[in-house]
Amino acid sequence: MQLGLFRALFPRWNFFDRLTRPLALEFKAVDTHSWNQVEFEAARTRFSLLVNPAVTLLHAEKDVLDDFVTDLSQLIGLDGLVDLSDVRRLSSFRMIEALVFARLKKFETNATQFQFRISAQSESSPETIFVSDVLVAP
Amino acid sequence: MGFYVARGLTAHLISFALILQSIEIFKMLKFPETLLIWSAKTIGDELESSLPFGFGHWLKSDHSVRQLALAQFIVAIGSFLFPVWPMLVLLLVIHLLLCVRFRGSVNGGSDAMTAIVLTGLIFSTVIHRDALAQAGLLYVAIHVLYSYLKSGVSKVRQREWREGRALSGFLRQSLFNDIREVGLWLQNCPTLSLTLCWLTMLFEILVAAVVIAPLSIGLILSVVIFFHLLIYLTFGLNRFFWVWISAWPTVFFAAHQVQTKIVF
């Protein structure tokens, strides 16, 4: 049983405590060279104090990204490497894959193969955390 | 604030919050990525292996989200009108199923506090002996106050907060461009940034003192509403606003209990 599914029963009241380097999620179609950033940006809408679907969804997507990076860190071996086959079995990997594909479709509707990468932003230069192998659009 | 007033207010407010959340889920489903990211393909295995009696098989389907959101909408309207324990139990079950369906939670803290509020309300509604029923509301109040205290203490333990750099950092990570600009501006105002960081930490740590401080409900509520409105405006966390506000009547009830029993 995955206890994480029931995390609503185990509150952690650590709100905005640790300031970590922001994560950047980028994607590209395989036959292109340039990486495009997945933007987590929202516009304010009327009545959003009552109902705020776009923002709630973006927050949930950012949580998916954080969860994947956390899951990844737990797979890192003593040699500092990760077995990609283990990564592909992660639910959070499949969720990131779906998120990236959804964004890719808005960019390039004909793309059938793509990659994504995750990096931690810093003031000097970004540090790449993960680069996927070539993924096939579902 | 007396027990029945506090319980009634909390029940109405959390029901209202869940009506809003149901509508929000329906609107989230209009974004194609919602059912792509949280789909049978991505989390179906986890759901099926974690839930018994084939329940996971139903829950992983796309229909389940709509069905649960509709059920929550209907039951929340029911509990807003008639906040009786069967309605509250149903709401809790549906809420938890929705959290599981979204792989644990839609919106972390607010989902956890929703579960706490509903649990406390159920207890205080099922039990007919007043002294025990009051424990249900006190349970919620303790969690509310602890949430602020823990949040404040965990901030104080971070150097970025103590040195006044954290707030501008978080604002720069906001989803809203205008707030990111504020964060950039604040980065260049170290004294103001330091002051705001410490005000935030002190507010969160000292909130628990309202239980013993003979301050007016209006004053406390104004400050709390202001704080949560700011969080909503800077980070778009509308769910937090409604769920935490729904829990505050229990704190006023707890304060009333403490202050009428302790003579200063």
Side-chain angles (χ1 to χ4, degrees):
Chain A
M1 175 180 284
Q2 300 276 351
L3 281 180
L5 293 178
F6 303 94
R7 68 182 111 167
L9 294 172
F10 306 103
R12 292 176 64 237
W13 306 127
N14 299 337
F15 300 122
F16 299 105
D17 56 347
R18 270 186 215 178
L19 186 63
T20 53
R21 288 183 297 167
L23 297 173
L25 175 61
E26 297 168 293
F27 64 91
K28 72 179 184 79
V30 154
D31 51 2
T32 61
H33 295 291
S34 58
W35 290 89
N36 303 289
Q37 183 142 340
V38 171
E39 297 292 351
F40 293 104
E41 263 178 30
R44 296 184 194 284
T45 54
R46 224 182 288 183
F47 309 120
S48 56
L49 177 60
L50 300 173
V51 175
N52 210 358
V55 170
T56 299
L57 179 56
L58 282 173
H59 277 299
E61 288 176 355
K62 285 185 84 176
D63 288 344
V64 169
L65 181 58
D66 290 339
D67 285 347
F68 175 64
V69 171
T70 302
D71 290 345
L72 203 59
S73 67
Q74 291 167 358
L75 287 180
I76 293 176
L78 292 170
D79 54 1
L81 299 174
V82 164
D83 188 334
L84 272 180
S85 62
D86 289 337
V87 175
R88 296 198 79 160
R89 277 194 282 269
L90 294 170
S91 296
S92 53
F93 173 84
R94 294 194 291 269
M95 295 171 83
I96 292 283
E97 186 182 16
L99 164 61
V100 168
F101 178 66
R103 297 300 180 102
L104 177 73
K105 288 299 284 180
K106 289 180 186 171
F107 245 72
E108 296 181 56
T109 51
N110 297 323
T112 54
Q113 292 182 312
F114 64 100
Q115 273 183 287
F116 71 83
R117 75 179 176 195
I118 298 170
S119 50
Q121 308 283 71
S122 72
E123 280 172 13
S124 48
S125 60
E127 176 198 337
T128 302
I129 295 173
F130 178 81
V131 182
S132 75
D133 48 1
V134 174
L135 304 169
V136 177
Chain B
M1 185 177 285
F3 170 66
Y4 292 101
V5 171
R7 188 178 69 180
L9 271 175
T10 300
H12 288 307
L13 285 167
I14 196 66
S15 300
F16 179 67
L18 287 168
I19 290 170
L20 295 178
Q21 287 183 23
S22 306
I23 297 170
E24 193 170 82
I25 289 174
F26 277 119
K27 288 182 172 286
M28 279 168 64
L29 289 173
K30 290 186 177 175
F31 294 89
E33 52 262 51
T34 304
L35 288 179
L36 274 177
I37 298 168
W38 290 272
S39 70
K41 187 180 171 195
T42 56
I43 60 172
D45 291 348
E46 258 187 58
L47 293 178
E48 288 208 85
S49 65
S50 299
L51 296 168
F53 314 121
F55 209 43
H57 184 74
W58 163 74
L59 195 60
K60 74 179 186 181
S61 68
D62 288 353
H63 320 297
S64 69
V65 186
R66 291 189 182 89
Q67 289 163 353
L68 286 169
L70 180 61
Q72 182 172 273
F73 180 75
I74 293 168
V75 177
I77 289 177
S79 76
F80 183 87
L81 298 171
F82 309 106
V84 294
W85 69 264
M87 294 279 193
L88 296 168
V89 169
L90 263 177
L91 268 184
L92 179 61
V93 169
I94 296 168
H95 171 69
L96 291 176
L97 283 173
L98 273 167
C99 290
V100 171
R101 181 57 180 82
F102 280 91
R103 203 177 176 243
S105 68
V106 179
N107 200 219
S110 69
D111 290 331
M113 186 56 80
T114 300
I116 287 165
V117 170
L118 287 171
T119 303
L121 275 175
I122 290 166
F123 191 85
S124 72
T125 316
V126 166
I127 307 286
H128 291 294
R129 283 185 60 188
D130 275 1
L132 282 178
Q134 289 170 13
L137 293 194
L138 293 176
Y139 166 77
V140 179
I142 289 168
H143 269 286
V144 171
L145 295 174
Y146 181 64
S147 72
Y148 290 102
L149 181 65
K150 177 101 190 305
S151 182
V153 167
S154 64
K155 287 180 174 71
V156 169
R157 292 165 73 174
Q158 302 299 323
R159 182 183 290 180
E160 290 86 1
W161 275 99
R162 293 196 307 270
E163 293 177 355
R165 290 179 280 119
L167 200 52
S168 65
F170 284 114
L171 292 177
R172 278 180 281 128
Q173 294 181 30
S174 168
L175 298 179
F176 303 117
N177 269 329
D178 53 356
I179 300 301
R180 291 181 192 178
E181 309 260 319
V182 170
L184 277 170
W185 169 80
L186 195 60
Q187 197 179 8
N188 297 320
C189 303
T191 308
L192 177 61
S193 190
L194 181 70
T195 307
L196 291 174
C197 281
W198 275 98
L199 274 175
T200 304
M201 290 186 282
L202 286 172
F203 167 75
E204 289 185 327
I205 290 169
L206 294 176
V207 154
V210 303
V211 172
I212 55 171
L215 299 170
S216 80
I217 288 179
L219 175 64
I220 298 168
L221 203 51
S222 301
V223 174
V224 167
I225 287 176
F226 176 71
F227 177 74
H228 285 287
L229 263 180
L230 268 184
I231 293 173
Y232 152 71
L233 286 168
T234 47
F235 300 107
L237 295 170
N238 61 310
R239 288 181 173 220
F240 273 76
F241 177 86
W242 293 106
V243 172
W244 254 262
I245 294 303
S246 78
W248 264 89
T250 67
V251 177
F252 295 131
F253 165 70
H256 177 260
Q257 292 296 96
V258 169
Q259 288 168 33
T260 53
K261 286 171 171 55
I262 295 175
V263 177
F264 290 98

